[in-house]
Amino acid sequence: MSHIDTISVHAGYSPDAQGAVMPPIYTSSTYAQRAPGDPIGFEYARSGNPTRQAFESALAEVEGGTRAFAFASGMAAMATVLELLDHGGHVIALDDLYGGAWRLFERVRTRSAGLQISYVAPDDIEALKAAFRPDTKMVWLEVPTNPLLKIADLEAVVGLAHSHGALAVADATFSTPYLLRPLDYGFDLVVHSVTKYLNGHSDVIGGAAIVRDAELGERLGYLQNAVGGVMDPFSSFLALRGLRTLPLRMGRHSENALQLAQWLEAQPQVARVLYPGLASHPQHALAAKQFKQGFGGMLSLELASDDAGVRRFLAALRYFTLAESLGGVESLISQPFTMSHSSLPEDLRRQRGIEPTLLRVSIGIEHADDLQADLAQGLKAI
């Protein structure tokens, strides 16, 4: 089997009849048919588009799945995956989720689809065992979690899910298939916010879902077409371009993040650093077992300061832009309490360890020494 570095460059497309090495951007909304019900290739752009298909095929191969589906956003992908469940189904979600996922579960699908959601800590297998019910249809987790970078035992989670007849779904936005492929562990579905590392340049909004089983792929493909939240051709072109360099970027993200996490941990202005690559991480041994190519570009840190100190720190930074999102070539920093997780009630945020002093950092591909100097400048401002 070829290495992922090679697969990511060549997967999903070969030169077309005109010899184009990269897929053209097909903007047509509809396609000619030889006769009624006898299309030449594609029929209607919501149902399929050549540029989107090239990205989907490449992503399926990189992720080790049978089929991939590209959506208009990560939330559109998640929402369509939840359409696999019948009304009133029970879902176990490993907590410390992205705020948008919690909002979708609690503010939308509990109302519109009657879903019942139970939350369990990612590192508590006994609690996970106890959470299953006869009507449990899905287990949902993030690898690693957002924003506290917790690690779940993937083998244990998928084993429990399948022993109870439930689908196992992993949001692998933070890890990407370069670092870890949940389908290799037996997960049924992987979802991504393509906006983040897969595209990697902060210029596309997109999502994806990849399936291991062909029959599940048929079901999800039907739902994608029926619900209609598909990725547009230009975004598909850009996302495929981003996917081609994923291994190069993730290697640099991971190297930079490890260096900075180790340095931050030694700074007196920092109360704690959350990064799976640190020996101090509670699940470092499990992370080292599951992540073969590095530990990713995301870390969180808690400043030994107050809200005013946090604001001074953020204002003093030059290379770290205060912004939502993550996974681009540039370094970003955010305050989950007021930004990505603000949709959670305040008491729940604090209960889960999301305080105003917690900052989530997306380490870019700049030179690590420059990023370290920038952070040092920020810490001095506290």
Side-chain angles (χ1 to χ4, degrees), residues 104-127:
L104 175 62
F105 290 158
E106 292 294 329
R107 301 293 191 226
V108 180
R109 291 307 174 85
T110 56
R111 173 188 57 79
S112 65
L115 294 185
Q116 304 170 67
I117 317 292
S118 297
Y119 296 95
V120 176
D123 51 353
D124 193 341
I125 292 299
E126 292 305 314

Side-chain angles (χ1 to χ4, degrees), residues 50 53 65 116 119 130 153 166 175 190 243 257 268 279 296 322 334 337 355 371:
Q53 184 183 72
Q116 304 170 67
Y119 296 95
D153 186 329
S175 53
V190 176
L243 188 65
L322 178 63
S334 69
F337 190 85
E355 298 285 348
L371 297 178

Side-chain angles (χ1 to χ4, degrees), residues 15 39 116 127 135 138 172 176 205 210 230 345-347 366-367 372:
Q116 304 170 67
D135 61 342
M138 182 177 286
T176 81
I205 295 291
I210 306 95
V230 299
E346 182 175 342
D347 61 340
E366 304 96 334
H367 197 288
Q372 182 173 309

